[in-house]
Amino acid sequence: MGRIRVLGITLVFVISLTSYLTSSPSQAANTSSGTLQIFASLPPTATFNPNLLLKGSASAGEPSIRTDQFGQSFVIGPTGVPAGCKAFRVRHDGSASTFLGFPDHGAGGGDCDWAIGPQETSPTIVPPSTDNLLAYSSLTLPNITTGKSDDGGSTFGPPNPYSQQVAGDDRMWMAADPKLNSLGFADVYMTYHDVSVVEIELGVSRDGGFSYVQSGPIINPADVLPAQWGEPSGNGLGNIVAYRPKNGALTLFSIFVTPDSAADNASQFAAGTQNFNRVYEAVGTVTEVPAPGAPIITWRNYEVYHGPVGARYDRIFPITAVDGAGKVYAIWTDGNNIMVKSDATGTGWSPSTAPGLIANPTGVNTTIMPWAEAGASGIVDVVFYAATGGSGAQPSPQDDPANQWNVYMAQTIDGGSTWGVFKASDHVIHNGPICIDGLNCNLIGPRDRTLLDFFQVSIDPTNGAADIAYTDDHAAPGNAVLYFTRQCTGASATTGAALVNDCVAPPPPVTPPQGTTCPGPQILDFVNDAPNNYPAGMGQNMDNLDIENAFFGATPTTIEVTLTIKNLQAPPTVDNPNILSGLWTVYWQQVLTANPPGSPRWWYAQATTTGTGGSALAFFSDGTFDVSADTYSDSPAMGTFNPGPNGTFVIHVPRADVGNPADGSTLTNTFADTAGAFLIASTGLRYIARADRAPDSDYGADYVVAQTCTPPPPPPPSSAASLTLAPKTETNNVFTQASETATVKDASAPPKAVPGVVVRFTVTGANPGSGSQTTDQFGQAVFTYTGQNAGIDTIAAYADKNNNGVKDSGEPSDTATKTWVVPSSTPGCEIKITGGGTIVAANGDQGNFGGNAQISSTGSPSGQEQYQDHGPAQPLNAKSTSVTSIVCSSDKTQATIYGQATINGSGSYVYRIVLQDNGSSGSTDAYGIRLNSGYDSGVRSLRSGNVDIHKK
């Protein structure tokens, strides 16, 4: 549902769900949905990488995730209307992330989703596509903003803020056809709620997700009566899946839940509940029309399960998945257990047959927010939030204040007969209740909705590992951030075989600066950690919102709060003109007051400004901040405004305003934050979002009111004393990117991060090169490069303390190695190119190609490949001398061939050929070749010829 916001130990559990597949005797389990069956069996064991905090993800939630052909994951999450959707790219190995900004330019942010499709080949795409189609959607409520990237998120095209023909939209989901259309674009399908009539609409894009045409509703009134699913209570909308077998027709699948009947619909509305107990699969039969015409889609609805009246199956959301054989899975939760049913086609359900249960891990009695992704035949990954500590009592087990939440993944490799359940998070991600009632969480409450409404899993097509993104607020309750983790071992979702562990642990977090009780400052923070990621920002630091420290003091009648900022100025500033005003706030709690530790309320002191430059004025307030509602109740206070470098706000807080703390009492759980206000897309709408928090997680030191202290001598200035590289060793596929992270620290105890130091990197070996990066606030510098040659690289790095470009004595250094390999072949894969083939390369030249490649029964690759660029831009003739690897996708629509070749009859060059088999005619197939000489044709639609990929 859309929203507007104001501001390794692995646990393994196994079950069998054959209760609804067979009539065998079984052990029964009683739940709110009736009697269901559970069986025990042994699963493959899955483990997960140490969880990665996505830098720059503050205030984002409910992440969507997709993974591209190179194993890079893309994460997007809303920050609220009208602030936009934040996007991130995560390295294949799970060790690092990159903030990609706001693809929607801030025009949206109520909900976000991705669709990932085949690499587009339309000649109108300039420069040519280099990666899968990555389409996004961003909810504004009046409409939906859409757009796309064809280069792995490095750039996004202009946003389309009015993509749908229905005004008043909510909660959209996206999926892409795995086959390109006749124009070389990906087709993208989007379902969403029409809030005016609570209908589920479908929009279709034939240009890769930029523009859409209305296709009509997916609920067929002949199958489900409108009085049951329409106003006043409505229905619950799940995801959409686009399934196409090789050389087959496209079918769309979606899932929704409704009240029991027309009478139940009315009574649910009167009671203010959403106990939707009937689950339906919507199946869309697609009749293709040549692009740019819209395909014709006929929808039928099939009831999956008719649960007892009063059961609630929208704890959110119901999810559907379709495996490689076309088997359809319906997944939902009643709040206590994850429930699953499956059908060979999605049209043959028995509504009276009870679903199976995925058994809860020991101690877990509450489950919400399932999401699923299917792989090869019989393989499905399901993720969900699960809680221990609470009672699990219906009707709202998720609201128990004693709940402690973790992320779990369940996996089946036998079509749902047995499931393994594994903990994916390496820490408790949230404590207390999670409200799943959308905007009612604020309208009826307040109740904690920090984690918002869902999270997702995607399957890495390169090896079948599960990639998971989720929301977390364990370090700073009420302040959401995004995390990522990757499956390292267990079963591959694309093959069912054991995964080869290719995970790399993220670098250890830098030890944050620590405040002191006496003499203070009680709150300390890194500098240069307030990037301008707001709309129209370019990631530059907001010095006037960058917290350095905060002190507490006391007079007989006041608590004195001093907040120091890197360069205190009233917004807007020359460097950050998009920030119109700011808030600077310090928080604390105190026992035996209205805002004690453990409550969602804090005492606070706050400053804001009006005007700019010398005419700027500051205003001060104090009172209570309620995290759960994100609201301030305030009283005016006095203070002083001291702008400039290391400038301060000094706030004189009357003790009577903040619980009358007596001398000797302790102020605890201290922290500070800043926020900026800005306008969105010339709409006149004003939004406030947090900019910096101090410390970044947890809390500062306590303060004892009216304490007296002898200050220690000041510490020596920081200087680079050590440099460590991570990872120390790593194996990557050729023609992919890899990163090396240098962490620089000083000689203090414990060592502290040193920002602002230039680190110089040199690569020797198979892929020689060099570069330099400057350490960030965490003392880290990241060097990324592409390995085009198989072999071993040695990376050497040093901290250039005096920035003279030479490694001098005393400058710390380290080395690491990277091994570049050709990936392992897919057993039985065979590729044939019939009739030769022709493309127009990215440089405008005509390219001809031909060849074949296959893997023998013993696993040996063989074949021959030839490619000729006829010029005039880059004429060459490449002929293979060997085929060293052939990798095929599980659906046999994409393949990659690696080997050695000559160019113009001489030399030895590494090549990579990417092929797409999108149909028997070859008209939508694609070909691309890249050589380590630097030549790259781009992946281009065939002008002639046919690519045939199959398995023996």
Side-chain angles (χ1 to χ4, degrees):
M1 179 178 294
R3 80 261 331 134
I4 300 174
R5 285 185 289 175
V6 178
L7 252 194
I9 296 175
T10 301
L11 304 180
V12 182
F13 305 89
V14 190
I15 59 112
S16 169
L17 301 183
T18 50
S19 57
Y20 69 95
L21 303 173
T22 72
S23 57
S24 304
S26 61
Q27 174 186 356
N30 292 317
T31 76
S32 64
S33 299
T35 301
L36 301 110
Q37 318 301 327
I38 302 181
F39 291 80
S41 181
L42 291 175
T45 300
T47 62
F48 293 83
N49 209 33
N51 296 184
L52 171 71
L53 171 63
L54 303 187
K55 287 185 179 180
S57 65
S59 78
E62 58 181 37
S64 295
I65 184 171
R66 302 291 186 271
T67 305
D68 72 5
Q69 60 188 324
F70 305 117
Q72 301 175 114
S73 291
F74 296 88
V75 178
I76 192 168
T79 59
V81 173
C85 297
K86 287 185 174 182
F88 307 84
R89 181 174 55 235
V90 185
R91 282 198 57 194
H92 165 79
D93 57 22
S95 64
S97 65
T98 301
F99 177 62
L100 301 178
F102 293 80
D104 57 8
H105 295 197
D111 290 312
C112 314
D113 200 25
W114 290 125
I116 197 162
Q119 186 169 336
E120 297 186 307
T121 60
S122 169
T124 64
I125 299 172
V126 180
S129 170
T130 59
D131 198 355
N132 292 100
L133 173 277
L134 184 66
Y136 72 84
S137 57
S138 177
L139 180 71
T140 63
L141 293 181
N143 213 285
I144 299 171
T145 299
T146 55
K148 58 185 283 191
S149 171
D150 282 293
D151 58 6
S154 296
T155 61
F156 287 87
N160 176 7
Y162 299 100
S163 68
Q164 303 304 317
Q165 284 70 57
V166 174
D169 308 325
D170 190 24
R171 189 53 279 164
M172 63 286 176
W173 304 114
M174 304 173 70
D177 187 341
K179 173 184 174 181
L180 293 177
N181 63 35
S182 57
L183 298 179
F185 289 109
D187 290 334
V188 181
Y189 297 85
M190 182 194 302
T191 55
Y192 60 93
H193 262 138
D194 175 351
V195 298
S196 64
V197 294
V198 298
E199 176 64 276
I200 301 174
E201 303 286 356
L202 177 73
V204 180
S205 172
R206 308 223 71 182
D207 59 7
F210 176 74
S211 63
Y212 290 75
V213 294
Q214 188 69 18
S215 177
I218 75 168
I219 301 182
N220 187 328
D223 296 327
V224 191
L225 295 177
Q228 176 184 324
W229 57 260
E231 294 180 321
S233 291
N235 53 79
L237 167 62
N239 64 319
I240 182 172
V241 175
Y243 172 73
R244 182 190 290 273
K246 184 177 179 181
N247 297 326
L250 178 69
T251 305
L252 302 177
F253 296 87
S254 188
I255 188 170
F256 61 94
V257 291
T258 76
D260 190 76
S261 62
D264 186 48
N265 189 339
S267 63
Q268 294 273 353
F269 179 75
T273 57
Q274 290 182 311
N275 297 334
F276 299 164
N277 64 307
R278 301 184 73 168
V279 184
Y280 290 87
E281 189 79 23
V283 181
T285 301
V286 181
T287 301
E288 299 199 30
V289 171
I296 300 169
I297 305 170
T298 304
W299 289 93
R300 293 297 306 274
N301 307 145
Y302 303 90
E303 187 162 17
V304 176
Y305 182 55
H306 189 161
V309 175
R312 180 178 180 180
Y313 297 149
D314 59 333
R315 304 177 195 247
I316 42 185
F317 291 88
I319 297 298
T320 192
V322 184
D323 70 21
K327 186 174 185 178
V328 181
Y329 302 80
I331 299 156
W332 66 94
T333 177
D334 67 350
N336 296 123
N337 298 92
I338 302 297
M339 300 176 172
V340 184
K341 291 187 74 172
S342 65
D343 181 73
T345 63
T347 63
W349 313 93
S350 172
S352 61
T353 301
L357 293 182
I358 296 179
N360 285 336
T362 302
V364 167
N365 55 25
T366 302
T367 63
I368 60 172
M369 301 189 194
W371 196 270
E373 184 82 5
S377 176
I379 305 179
V380 185
D381 293 342
V382 180
V383 294
F384 53 94
Y385 291 147
T388 60
S391 66
Q394 290 286 348
S396 301
Q398 68 276 356
D399 289 341
D400 195 312
N403 283 339
Q404 294 183 315
W405 297 89
N406 272 283
V407 176
Y408 286 86
M409 186 183 85
Q411 185 182 56
T412 180
I413 59 173
D414 57 12
S417 296
T418 59
W419 294 80
V421 184
F422 319 99
K423 185 186 288 187
S425 54
D426 56 9
H427 59 277
V428 172
I429 67 165
H430 177 78
N431 288 282
I434 296 178
C435 183
I436 59 172
D437 296 329
L439 294 178
N440 284 335
C441 296
N442 298 93
L443 300 175
I444 305 171
R447 291 172 289 164
D448 193 332
R449 195 171 171 239
T450 305
L451 271 56
L452 297 183
D453 295 344
F454 68 91
F455 71 108
Q456 293 185 0
V457 60
S458 66
I459 293 173
D460 182 344
T462 67
N463 70 345
D467 294 324
I468 303 171
Y470 64 89
T471 314
D472 182 296
D473 74 339
H474 81 280
N479 294 275
V481 293
L482 303 181
Y483 273 82
F484 170 91
T485 190
R486 173 177 174 80
Q487 182 187 0
C488 301
T489 65
S492 162
T494 54
T495 67
L499 285 170
V500 176
N501 188 348
D502 62 357
C503 295
V504 174
V510 177
T511 302
Q514 300 295 314
T516 59
T517 294
C518 200
Q522 285 75 33
I523 299 170
L524 274 175
D525 191 34
F526 293 113
V527 293
N528 300 316
D529 64 344
N532 189 339
N533 292 334
Y534 298 143
M538 301 297 292
Q540 71 273 25
N541 196 64
M542 298 178 289
D543 291 355
N544 61 332
L545 297 176
D546 190 357
I547 300 168
E548 291 186 346
N549 60 64
F551 282 88
F552 290 89
T555 72
T557 59
T558 65
I559 299 296
E560 299 291 296
V561 178
T562 301
L563 180 63
T564 305
I565 302 298
K566 181 181 178 183
N567 188 0
L568 182 56
Q569 302 176 65
T573 65
V574 173
D575 292 335
N576 295 283
N578 59 321
I579 308 302
L580 304 181
S581 63
L583 293 174
W584 297 260
T585 314
V586 179
Y587 307 84
W588 67 94
Q589 293 180 315
Q590 184 186 345
V591 297
L592 303 178
T593 68
N595 302 333
S599 80
R601 298 177 304 278
W602 264 259
W603 302 112
Y604 77 89
Q606 188 175 84
T608 188
T609 60
T610 184
T612 59
S615 63
L617 298 175
F619 297 90
F620 304 94
S621 60
D622 58 50
T624 292
F625 171 64
D626 190 323
V627 169
S628 60
D630 203 9
T631 58
Y632 296 87
S633 57
D634 57 19
S635 301
M638 302 296 292
T640 57
F641 172 36
N642 307 298
N646 306 311
T648 61
F649 287 112
V650 181
I651 308 173
H652 315 301
V653 180
R655 295 198 195 195
D657 288 355
V658 291
N660 282 309
D663 288 358
S665 59
T666 300
L667 310 186
T668 191
N669 291 348
T670 62
F671 72 99
D673 68 19
T674 58
F678 47 88
L679 297 179
I680 297 296
S682 302
T683 63
L685 296 173
R686 188 181 184 90
Y687 183 80
I688 295 175
R690 287 179 171 82
D692 190 16
R693 187 188 190 276
D696 290 341
S697 61
D698 209 356
Y699 302 108
D702 293 346
Y703 167 69
V704 179
V705 177
Q707 65 186 7
T708 58
C709 312
T710 301
S718 295
S719 178
S722 67
L723 181 149
T724 56
L725 289 177
K728 295 295 290 182
T729 61
E730 183 180 48
T731 299
N732 301 282
N733 291 338
V734 292
F735 293 110
T736 63
Q737 286 189 333
S739 298
E740 196 68 27
T741 300
T743 301
V744 180
K745 296 184 178 181
D746 64 14
S748 61
K752 296 182 179 63
V754 181
V757 176
V758 175
V759 177
R760 302 193 184 276
F761 299 84
T762 301
V763 181
T764 57
N767 300 279
S770 62
S772 64
Q773 296 290 332
T774 302
T775 57
D776 59 16
Q777 69 269 24
F778 305 103
Q780 294 181 339
V782 180
F783 174 67
T784 301
Y785 72 105
T786 300
Q788 298 193 104
N789 302 308
I792 298 175
D793 288 340
T794 298
I795 300 100
Y798 71 94
D800 193 356
K801 294 163 65 172
N802 56 8
N803 199 21
N804 66 352
V806 178
K807 186 183 182 308
D808 300 314
S809 176
E811 291 183 331
S813 62
D814 197 10
T815 61
T817 60
K818 292 191 187 299
T819 302
W820 300 90
V821 299
V822 172
S824 300
S825 293
T826 303
C829 183
E830 184 172 8
I831 303 164
K832 293 182 179 179
I833 300 171
T834 58
T838 304
I839 62 171
V840 175
N843 59 16
D845 294 348
Q846 177 177 309
N848 287 28
F849 63 92
N852 60 78
Q854 55 275 323
I855 299 293
S856 70
S857 58
T858 61
S860 299
S862 62
Q864 59 84 25
E865 303 294 330
Q866 182 171 353
Y867 174 80
Q868 184 174 8
D869 184 313
H870 291 277
Q874 291 177 280
L876 61 79
N877 192 337
K879 292 185 178 180
S880 67
T881 57
S882 67
V883 173
T884 56
S885 177
I886 306 169
V887 181
C888 291
S889 63
S890 59
D891 61 2
K892 300 179 287 296
T893 61
Q894 296 195 52
T896 307
I897 304 172
Y898 298 84
Q900 299 287 131
T902 61
I903 295 180
N904 300 328
S906 63
S908 181
Y909 300 88
V910 179
Y911 68 84
R912 182 187 70 184
I913 296 172
V914 176
L915 299 140
Q916 294 179 6
D917 180 1
N918 294 315
S920 58
S921 68
S923 60
T924 57
D925 293 352
Y927 174 96
I929 184 170
R930 185 174 180 180
L931 296 148
N932 69 343
S933 65
Y935 182 87
D936 189 352
S937 72
V939 178
R940 313 294 286 176
S941 293
L942 268 58
R943 293 297 181 92
S944 64
N946 182 39
V947 174
D948 180 27
I949 304 170
H950 61 275
K951 291 186 179 179
K952 298 177 182 178

